[in-house]
Amino acid sequence: MAKVQPVIKCEIDPMKPVPEICAVIMAVTPYHPQQEDAILLGVQEAIQKRRDQLAKQTTRKEEQQNG
């Protein structure tokens, strides 16, 4: 029995991260038309979590430098 699955394979240019990441998001969301907002919200939350981690790292480095 054939196993058919929609698959998106992407090659992205790491020298252009923002437009490439946006293109991937735009390629995925049509497969979930009723859930696009939830997907975008999840991506936004993941981005904010990472930004918070980076901010903590920066704060720790500054504290270490200032003794």
Side-chain angles (χ1 to χ4, degrees), residues 8 17 22 26 37 44 47-48 50 52 57 61 64:
I8 298 171
C22 291
M26 295 305 293
D37 190 55
Q44 183 178 23
I47 290 169
Q48 188 58 54
R50 181 61 181 145
D52 292 345
Q57 290 174 2
K61 287 179 183 177
Q64 290 173 351

Side-chain angles (χ1 to χ4, degrees), residues 4 15 20 23 27-28 30 32-35 41 43 49 63-64 66:
V4 179
M15 300 306 292
E20 298 285 87
V28 171
H32 306 279
Q34 303 301 318
Q35 299 169 321
L41 182 58
V43 170
K49 180 178 177 180
E63 289 173 351
Q64 290 173 351
N66 294 331

Side-chain angles (χ1 to χ4, degrees), residues 1-62:
M1 171 77 43
K3 187 174 183 180
V4 179
Q5 296 179 344
V7 175
I8 298 171
K9 294 186 180 187
C10 301
E11 290 185 20
I12 64 170
D13 180 352
M15 300 306 292
K16 301 175 186 174
V18 174
E20 298 285 87
I21 291 167
C22 291
V24 171
I25 292 168
M26 295 305 293
V28 171
T29 55
Y31 289 95
H32 306 279
Q34 303 301 318
Q35 299 169 321
E36 184 174 1
D37 190 55
I39 292 167
L40 294 173
L41 182 58
V43 170
Q44 183 178 23
E45 290 171 357
I47 290 169
Q48 188 58 54
K49 180 178 177 180
R50 181 61 181 145
R51 292 185 73 217
D52 292 345
Q53 292 171 344
L54 292 172
K56 286 179 185 177
Q57 290 174 2
T58 300
T59 300
R60 286 187 196 132
K61 287 179 183 177
E62 290 172 353

